[in-house]
Amino acid sequence: MFRPTCVVYGLFLSLAVVLTACTPRFVREAQTVVTDADSLWHNGQMYVIDAGDSATLAEAYQRLDRVQAIFPDEFAHSCYHYGRLLRKKDNPVEAMQAFLAATHSRTSDYHILGRVYSNMGDICHLAGEYNLSYDMFEKSAEMYLCNGDTLLYYYDLNNMAFELAEMKDSSACMTLLQQYSHIQEISDVSLITRAELYCKTQHYDSAIYYSYAALSRNAFSIIYIQLAQAYSYLGIKDSAVYYAQRVATISTDLWELDNALYILYNDDEYISKSDILKTASDRADILKLLEIRQGQLSQAVQLLEQDLQRKPDLLWLYSTIAILFLLGTGIIIYVHYKRKKQKLITQQIEVLEQVTLEMQKKHNELSDSYLTYHQRIVDEINNRCLVLQTGESIKQKLAWRNYAKLCKIVDKQFYMLATKLRDRYSLKETEIRMCILTLLYCKNDMMAELLYKSPTSIGTMKRRVANKLGTASINLRSYLIDNVCLK
């Protein structure tokens, strides 16, 4: 179907030809500013921050706004650079206004539109609006695909997967991750996304595994905060404090600093009173800044939501009437649009075919890696059990008579086994002791001796505990390893 926007292009076509030949001076000056900003951007720099003047960029943005119908590409670029500057100066509301203006510029520069939608997605993410952030990154990915930027397209797929991780949507997140698992250039950020998913879904051992894999390639502060949080939830306070201190040292992100200070305040067992007060004071200051920023981000998101819900302009009604006078031009534009649409569909099919060919290979590699990791942990548990299989070893090395100390030792050596049995399955002391002895491969006679029970009652007791865990007594030990120690 012919789009009404095509009519607008036709109406301004003749005017654009005339005005381009005799461009006013103020427009040429604004175009020069945008060209300079583009040049810095392509060199990894930023206008105003590395060169240029903020007032000059703001003036160029305002001037091009008046002639955006004739120079839509230049105006869209000015919106992007001005929006980035406003974000850098912690002004997300006006930044969102600039980015929204770019989306209405009717530019055909899909790369700059991809950048614009990506920035809008970042603002929504910071505001905690993960669904809306997902939608913006999806639009950004579409723009990059239209422009043939496949690498940036995959980066936006990862951004979408990260938002799904924040929403704890494991199935959709893993499905999306598989689509670009074969792309080596973004394997680093995909590991961070996997770690975030496992953190949000409380699979902290897996979160630590992928965080370390990401850390071996890059030392991003988000990796340290993921490790700090995972270790904190597992009760491994020394490691949690270590990585929280790293975050407090290298990060400038308010959210990361807030979480790091929270861990330091609650998990650092050796912190002095004066340091406690300083940590609490620093976190209070950060919370105030976060509250201010959150209010600004919420306003920015409201602008986006209002823009998405706004009613169509009456310009489209007049444009429809103009179709009768521009039928010939309309047919040409319609054919051009259909060809571009066909090209996009063909490109998407090629991408999906490439993903299909690589997916099975990557799946097998990941499966082998996971099995190797799983077997290494199981071997480690079995080796520790061999050392503790005698009654005297259990009494001495596990402090068998001191239940609290026993639980601490078992948690440290067997991946929080005692705590998980108590919190997840509400097992009593005797039942937890029974599970520990089962894990250690103790015979019924030894269990009876250590639990002060008759040997004939051990089988019944083991069946009762297995029922509580949802398994059979014959499979109790393997269940404890696979479903309690490793999860």
Side-chain angles (χ1 to χ4, degrees):
M1 182 179 291
F2 181 73
R3 292 188 303 172
T5 51
C6 297
V7 178
V8 178
Y9 293 131
L11 291 174
F12 289 106
L13 182 60
S14 58
L15 181 62
V17 172
V18 175
L19 291 182
T20 301
C22 51
T23 305
R25 178 180 176 183
F26 77 91
V27 176
R28 293 198 302 271
E29 292 174 348
Q31 289 174 321
T32 301
V33 172
V34 172
T35 301
D36 292 342
D38 284 342
S39 179
L40 288 169
W41 169 42
H42 293 315
N43 290 324
Q45 297 176 310
M46 185 173 177
Y47 196 85
V48 177
I49 302 300
D50 298 294
D53 172 35
S54 60
T56 303
L57 181 59
E59 186 177 15
Y61 165 71
Q62 293 169 357
R63 287 178 173 179
L64 289 170
D65 185 21
R66 284 179 275 171
V67 291
Q68 62 171 290
I70 305 171
F71 304 99
D73 292 345
E74 290 87 344
F75 176 63
H77 279 249
S78 72
C79 292
Y80 170 67
H81 294 302
Y82 190 52
R84 284 182 70 208
L85 176 63
L86 291 168
R87 281 197 65 193
K88 190 75 174 178
K89 294 186 174 182
D90 291 327
N91 190 348
V93 177
E94 292 186 18
M96 181 63 80
Q97 291 174 335
F99 292 138
L100 287 172
T103 65
H104 297 303
S105 65
R106 301 186 182 89
T107 178
S108 59
D109 190 335
Y110 293 111
H111 180 84
I112 206 68
L113 286 176
R115 297 280 183 178
V116 166
Y117 280 117
S118 181
N119 274 269
M120 293 164 70
D122 286 338
I123 293 174
C124 294
H125 174 83
L126 292 173
E129 297 292 337
Y130 303 126
N131 271 313
L132 194 55
S133 179
Y134 178 94
D135 293 339
M136 293 301 102
F137 286 128
E138 186 176 34
K139 285 181 175 290
S140 177
E142 291 175 0
M143 296 298 103
Y144 288 139
L145 195 58
C146 286
N147 198 54
D149 297 327
T150 54
L151 183 59
L152 292 176
Y153 167 75
Y154 287 124
Y155 269 109
D156 265 332
L157 289 187
N158 184 74
N159 290 334
M160 293 160 61
F162 196 92
E163 300 307 313
L164 292 171
E166 292 285 4
M167 293 184 283
K168 304 178 184 179
D169 191 345
S170 301
S171 177
C173 182
M174 293 304 295
T175 300
L176 200 55
L177 282 167
Q178 289 296 327
Q179 292 189 32
Y180 58 90
S181 60
H182 63 289
I183 306 300
Q184 187 63 32
E185 290 86 343
I186 60 172
S187 59
D188 295 358
V189 291
S190 67
L191 290 171
I192 296 174
T193 300
R194 289 177 185 272
E196 187 70 15
L197 174 63
Y198 288 121
C199 260
K200 293 298 182 182
T201 54
Q202 300 180 3
H203 293 85
Y204 301 118
D205 290 332
S206 296
I208 290 171
Y209 172 78
Y210 283 106
S211 292
Y212 276 129
L215 190 60
S216 66
R217 305 182 184 188
N218 284 296
F220 295 130
S221 57
I222 188 175
I223 303 174
Y224 290 119
I225 199 64
Q226 287 174 340
L227 287 168
Q229 289 179 326
Y231 277 123
S232 180
Y233 283 121
L234 287 173
I236 307 175
K237 295 185 177 181
D238 289 344
S239 296
V241 170
Y242 170 77
Y243 287 108
Q245 289 173 339
R246 293 295 301 274
V247 174
T249 302
I250 66 174
S251 179
T252 58
D253 183 87
L254 294 177
W255 177 85
E256 291 179 354
L257 289 173
D258 175 49
N259 283 275
L261 291 176
Y262 175 85
I263 292 172
L264 292 174
Y265 183 84
N266 290 279
D267 289 354
D268 194 346
E269 299 174 342
Y270 306 102
I271 191 170
S272 65
K273 291 184 178 180
S274 60
D275 287 338
I276 290 176
L277 293 175
K278 185 179 184 307
T279 300
S281 175
D282 291 344
R283 186 163 183 256
D285 293 339
I286 289 174
L287 286 173
K288 288 180 182 178
L289 293 175
L290 280 171
E291 184 178 356
I292 295 171
R293 189 181 74 170
Q294 195 63 28
Q296 295 173 337
L297 290 169
S298 297
Q299 292 179 38
V301 170
Q302 287 178 1
L303 288 176
L304 174 59
E305 291 174 338
Q306 291 170 4
D307 185 79
L308 293 173
Q309 296 171 3
R310 70 189 180 99
K311 295 181 179 179
D313 197 312
L314 289 178
L315 176 62
W316 308 129
L317 176 61
Y318 304 133
S319 299
T320 303
I321 299 174
I323 294 176
L324 298 173
F325 304 97
L326 301 168
L327 184 59
T329 304
I331 292 174
I332 296 174
I333 297 174
Y334 174 75
V335 171
H336 175 71
Y337 167 74
K338 292 296 290 183
R339 287 178 178 175
K340 181 174 284 190
K341 190 71 174 179
Q342 185 64 38
K343 181 180 178 181
L344 175 61
I345 294 173
T346 303
Q347 197 171 17
Q348 288 174 330
I349 292 173
E350 290 174 355
V351 170
L352 290 174
E353 287 176 347
Q354 185 180 4
V355 169
T356 303
L357 292 173
E358 294 291 330
M359 189 174 294
Q360 187 60 45
K361 179 181 177 182
K362 195 67 178 178
H363 173 73
N364 293 336
E365 292 175 356
L366 288 173
S367 297
D368 292 340
S369 176
Y370 175 80
L371 290 174
T372 302
Y373 171 74
H374 180 274
Q375 188 59 46
R376 183 175 64 80
I377 297 300
V378 171
D379 291 340
E380 180 183 325
I381 291 173
N382 288 332
N383 290 335
R384 290 177 180 175
C385 290
L386 287 174
V387 177
L388 299 168
Q389 278 187 348
T390 65
E392 288 304 314
S393 293
I394 292 171
K395 291 177 182 178
Q396 294 175 7
K397 295 182 180 179
L398 294 184
W400 184 257
R401 293 185 177 83
N402 187 332
Y403 178 67
K405 190 174 181 181
L406 168 66
C407 289
K408 282 187 176 181
I409 295 172
V410 170
D411 280 346
K412 185 175 182 180
Q413 295 200 24
F414 297 107
Y415 300 89
M416 305 299 293
L417 174 66
T419 299
K420 291 176 181 176
L421 289 172
R422 184 187 67 234
D423 294 344
R424 292 183 188 173
Y425 303 100
S426 303
L427 296 190
K428 298 176 182 178
E429 177 182 342
T430 303
E431 294 170 331
I432 292 175
R433 288 177 180 271
M434 162 66 74
C435 290
I436 293 170
L437 294 174
T438 301
L439 181 66
L440 295 176
Y441 243 132
C442 292
K443 302 297 183 181
N444 286 1
D445 292 338
M446 186 182 295
M447 287 186 183
E449 177 187 348
L450 293 171
L451 296 174
Y452 302 103
K453 302 285 184 180
S454 66
T456 57
S457 65
I458 294 299
T460 302
M461 183 179 179
K462 188 181 289 187
R463 283 194 297 273
R464 185 173 68 250
V465 172
N467 287 336
K468 281 192 174 184
L469 297 180
T471 185
S473 59
I474 192 172
N475 300 322
L476 181 56
R477 186 175 187 274
S478 60
Y479 184 92
L480 290 171
I481 294 174
D482 293 335
N483 294 282
V484 182
C485 290
L486 298 181
K487 288 188 179 179

